[in-house]
Amino acid sequence: MIKKCLFPVAGYGTRFLPATKSMPKEMLPILNKPLVQYGVEEALEAGLTDIGFVTGRGKRAIEDHFDLNYELEHQIQGTGKEVLLSGIRELIERCTFSYSRQVTMRGLGHAIRSGRTLIGDEPFGVVLADDLCLGEGHGVLAQMVAVFKQFRCSIVAIDEVAEEDIGKYGVIAGEAITERIFRVTDMVEKPSSGNAPSNLAIIGRYILTPDIFDILEATEAGRNDEVQITDALLTQAQQGAVIGYKFDGRRFDCGSIEGFVEATNHCHALHERD
Ligand code: UTP
C-alpha cells in the first residue's frame, strides 16, 4: 500500500568533519555497511521499494552505491568475496532509485518539500539514515506501516530520551491510546531546559500523508532560515492527524560521534555472536 520512501541526504554532516568534507555522512559505515544501506534495507523489509533520495552537492557516492560497479564485480567474480556484495545486489534488483536535488540546505522540512516530485499524491515513508534503527523482530518502518494501516494518518517514531538530551529533538505531547501509541496534541522543536512537554522525542522515521507538501509550502522558515518538519506536523496534529509510535527496538544517533561508536560496538557484538 505504501510503496515510496524518501531519504533526505543533503545535509552537510558538520559534526563529522573532516570525515564528511568530501564524503556523505550517510556513507559512513557501521562495520562494513554504510548507514544509508541499513536504511534502504529497512524500507524494503517494510515493502517500500520506490526509493527517492533528496541529495545535494558532494553526494554522488550514494548514487554510485546503489548502482552496479562492473569492473569491481568482474574482479571478484567467482571468489569468496562475492558474498559481500549480495546484500547490495538484492537492493538494486528489488528497489528503484530516484533522485532530486536540494539546492540550498534549508532544513529537513525544506528537504522533504524538495522531494515532492518523487512522491506525488500518496502516503510515503521518510528515513533519516543517520538514525540507525534496529527493530525487535520487524524493523521500525515495518512496525510503522502496520500502525498506518490502523490510523491512516501521519505517524512519527518516538523514543524516550534522557532529560539532558531532550533539547536536541522535536518533542511531543500526546494522549496515550495504548502503551506504544499516542495521539499527538502538541509538538515543540528543540525545547529549552524545563519546557519539554514530555520525554518523548521524534526520531528519524516518519510516515507522512501527502497533504504535508502543501503545508510545508506554506510553512515559514524559522531559526537559521530552516523549514522545520515539526512545524508542518503540528498543523496536522492540530487536525488530530498525527500518531506518535513508540517503536520496539533500539535506535542509535549515528549523526553524533558517541552514537556512532555505540552503534559500532553494538553491531560488532552481534556480529561476533553470530
Ligand atoms: P541533521 O541535522 O542530522 O544533518 O539532519 P546535518 O545537518 O547533515 O548534520 P550536522 O548537524 O551538520 O552534523 C537530519 C537529516 O536531514 C538531512 C540530513 O542529510 C540528515 O539525513 N538534511 C538536513 C537534508 O537533507 N537537508 C537539510 O537542509 C538538512
Side-chain angles (χ1 to χ4, degrees):
M1 175 196 35
I2 302 182
K3 284 275 153 233
K4 296 189 175 176
C5 191
L6 202 61
F7 284 71
V9 293
Y12 292 119
T14 53
R15 282 168 292 169
F16 264 95
L17 284 170
T20 47
K21 185 166 175 246
S22 63
M23 185 183 81
K25 169 170 77 172
E26 298 77 10
M27 287 300 292
L28 290 171
I30 299 295
L31 307 189
N32 60 343
K33 190 157 67 177
L35 282 167
V36 69
Q37 186 175 334
Y38 286 91
V40 174
E41 285 174 358
E42 186 185 328
L44 175 61
E45 193 236 347
L48 280 57
T49 51
D50 294 5
I51 308 297
F53 290 101
V54 178
T55 71
R57 288 177 289 283
K59 300 282 180 167
R60 280 274 304 279
I62 296 175
E63 288 175 57
D64 289 340
H65 189 69
F66 293 100
D67 196 358
L68 297 177
N69 178 339
Y70 286 111
E71 195 180 322
L72 171 71
E73 308 219 3
H74 176 73
Q75 195 66 30
I76 65 170
Q77 201 174 10
T79 75
K81 290 186 181 147
E82 241 184 325
V83 66
L84 295 173
L85 289 182
S86 59
I88 184 67
R89 277 183 181 160
E90 188 188 352
L91 295 183
I92 294 168
E93 271 166 29
R94 295 182 59 192
C95 299
T96 60
F97 300 93
S98 314
Y99 300 86
S100 173
R101 280 238 185 179
Q102 186 185 17
V103 176
T104 48
M105 297 0 154
R106 294 180 54 213
L108 179 57
H110 182 260
I112 292 175
R113 202 167 88 186
S114 307
R116 184 172 198 163
T117 49
L118 300 176
I119 300 296
D121 192 25
E122 54 190 283
F124 61 104
V126 175
V127 169
L128 307 187
D130 52 353
D131 265 342
L132 176 66
C133 290
L134 302 175
E136 287 295 331
H138 283 298
V140 173
L141 214 49
Q143 295 174 34
M144 293 172 74
V145 167
V147 178
F148 176 81
K149 283 182 182 159
Q150 198 181 343
F151 291 94
R152 308 262 160 189
C153 66
S154 288
I155 317 287
V156 295
I158 49 177
D159 199 11
E160 283 179 14
V161 165
E163 200 180 332
E164 63 269 26
D165 291 325
I166 199 81
K168 299 177 193 162
Y169 295 90
V171 183
I172 69 150
E175 293 156 5
I177 298 174
T178 69
E179 212 177 296
R180 294 195 176 278
I181 296 176
F182 297 78
R183 175 81 60 189
V184 177
T185 51
D186 196 11
M187 274 180 223
V188 185
E189 180 64 26
K190 300 191 175 62
S192 53
S193 175
N195 286 327
S198 73
N199 67 343
L200 297 174
I202 302 174
I203 61 109
R205 298 290 182 278
Y206 308 77
I207 289 177
L208 301 174
T209 51
D211 55 308
I212 198 79
F213 290 119
D214 280 344
I215 301 172
L216 280 169
E217 303 280 353
T219 302
E220 302 274 332
R223 201 158 29 127
N224 301 332
D225 197 30
E226 292 193 343
V227 179
Q228 304 291 351
I229 186 65
T230 317
D231 290 340
L233 280 166
L234 183 57
T235 304
Q236 288 189 329
Q238 284 159 350
Q239 298 157 2
V242 180
I243 292 290
Y245 172 64
K246 215 164 145 190
F247 60 91
D248 196 8
R250 272 191 78 173
R251 166 248 172 197
F252 299 91
D253 173 15
C254 295
S256 74
I257 289 178
E258 299 71 25
F260 186 86
V261 171
E262 208 187 326
T264 302
N265 289 336
H266 179 83
C267 290
H268 188 245
L270 292 180
H271 178 74
E272 292 289 285
R273 200 189 61 187
D274 293 341

